[in-house]
Amino acid sequence: GENVEQHPSTLSVQEGDSAVIKCTYSDSASNYFPWYKQELGKGPQLIIDIRSNVGEKKDQRIAVTLNKTAKHFSLHITETQPEDSAVYFCAAPNKAAGNKLTFGGGTRVLVKP
Amino acid sequence: AAGVIQSPRHLIKEKRETATLKCYPIPRHDTVYWYQQGPGQDPQFLISFYEKMQSDKGSIPDRFSAQQFSDYHSELNMSSLELGDSALYFCASSLGPVGTSGRGEDTQYFGPGTRLTVL
C-alpha cells in the first residue's frame, strides 16, 4: 500500500515569510496529490492538488510542486498571514484500494505576527 | 456551494453503548469515505462505498459497520463503544471512486466531522 511521509512536523514562520512543507510517497502508480488545511475542530479543507501530468501548480499564494522521479511533492505558501496558521496534510490515494487517501503525519504551521 | 453534511456534530456516549453517525455527501457525489482522526494524528481510513456497495475497508473494528443508502447518504454504526473510540470521525465524498485522467473525479471533500466522546 501507499506510505506518505511529511516534514517538518511543526513550522514557525514570521508573517510575510514563506513556508515549505515536503512529502514523499512510496507507490509509483500514484498520480494525484491533494493538500488539506485543517483548523482546530474542523474538517480537512482541500486547498490545492496536483496531478502527475504537471510539475507545478499555483493558486494565488499557494503552490505545489511534484517530482515523480523522486516521488516527492511540496507545498509552498508565500507571504504568509496569521490566518494561514493551521495543520496541513499531504495525501495520496491508493488507486488499487478504492482511492482511499493515505495522509502524511501533518505539519502544524504557526505564523507569528 | 453545497458541502458534505455530518450529524451529529458532537456525541457523548458511555462505554458499551452504541452510536450512529450520519453523512450526507455533496449532491451528485456517489462515493463516500469514512475516516477516524485521533488527537494530534492524521485521519485514518475506515471504509468506503461507491454506488451503495462497499468499495474498500481499512482498519475498521468488527464492532463498527456502515452502509450507503439509495439517496447516497451513509451511516456509520458503532457498537460496544470503548474509550479508545473517542475521536473525530470524518466523512468525505467524491464523484467516482478512482482517479481518472485528470478530471478531478477522485477529489475528496471532507465534512465538518463528528466528535465522539466515550466516557
Side-chain angles (χ1 to χ4, degrees), chain A residues 31-32 36 38 40-46 49 51 53 89 93 95-106 108, chain B residues 9 33 35 37 41-43 45 48 55-56 90 97-100 102-112 115:
Chain A
N31 62 358
Y32 170 66
Y36 289 90
Q38 187 175 26
L40 193 61
K42 297 185 177 180
Q45 177 190 6
L46 180 72
D49 54 19
R51 299 184 185 275
N53 56 342
F89 290 100
K95 294 173 67 67
N99 210 34
K100 65 180 181 184
L101 288 176
T102 297
F103 287 85
R108 183 174 298 279
Chain B
R9 295 294 311 280
Y33 307 81
Y35 294 86
Q37 186 178 34
Q41 298 179 358
D42 57 286
F45 172 75
S48 61
S55 55
D56 189 32
F90 291 106
V98 179
T100 56
R103 288 180 288 170
E105 292 175 348
D106 51 356
T107 302
Q108 293 183 31
Y109 298 92
F110 283 74
R115 180 177 294 280

Side-chain angles (χ1 to χ4, degrees), chain A residues 25-87:
Chain A
Y25 61 97
S26 60
D27 187 354
S28 56
S30 291
N31 62 358
Y32 170 66
F33 305 93
W35 284 90
Y36 289 90
K37 174 183 180 182
Q38 187 175 26
E39 296 175 286
L40 193 61
K42 297 185 177 180
Q45 177 190 6
L46 180 72
I47 55 172
I48 196 168
D49 54 19
I50 190 167
R51 299 184 185 275
S52 59
N53 56 342
V54 298
E56 182 174 359
K57 183 177 178 181
K58 191 172 182 180
D59 183 4
Q60 299 182 354
R61 297 185 297 107
I62 295 174
V64 57
T65 59
L66 171 65
N67 183 327
K68 283 220 73 179
T69 302
K71 291 192 283 188
H72 68 69
F73 56 112
S74 300
L75 177 72
H76 304 252
I77 307 173
T78 59
E79 301 173 29
T80 53
Q81 301 169 4
E83 53 264 38
D84 294 329
S85 297
V87 178

Side-chain angles (χ1 to χ4, degrees), chain B residues 57-102:
Chain B
K57 198 171 183 180
S59 51
I60 182 170
D62 292 340
R63 301 177 287 108
F64 294 5
S65 64
Q67 57 182 321
Q68 185 178 32
F69 295 85
S70 58
D71 64 351
Y72 296 105
H73 94 272
S74 178
E75 295 183 4
L76 177 65
N77 299 293
M78 310 161 72
S79 62
S80 302
L81 287 169
E82 301 174 356
L83 296 178
D85 296 329
S86 296
L88 276 167
Y89 290 84
F90 291 106
C91 168
S93 75
S94 70
L95 182 62
V98 179
T100 56
S101 55

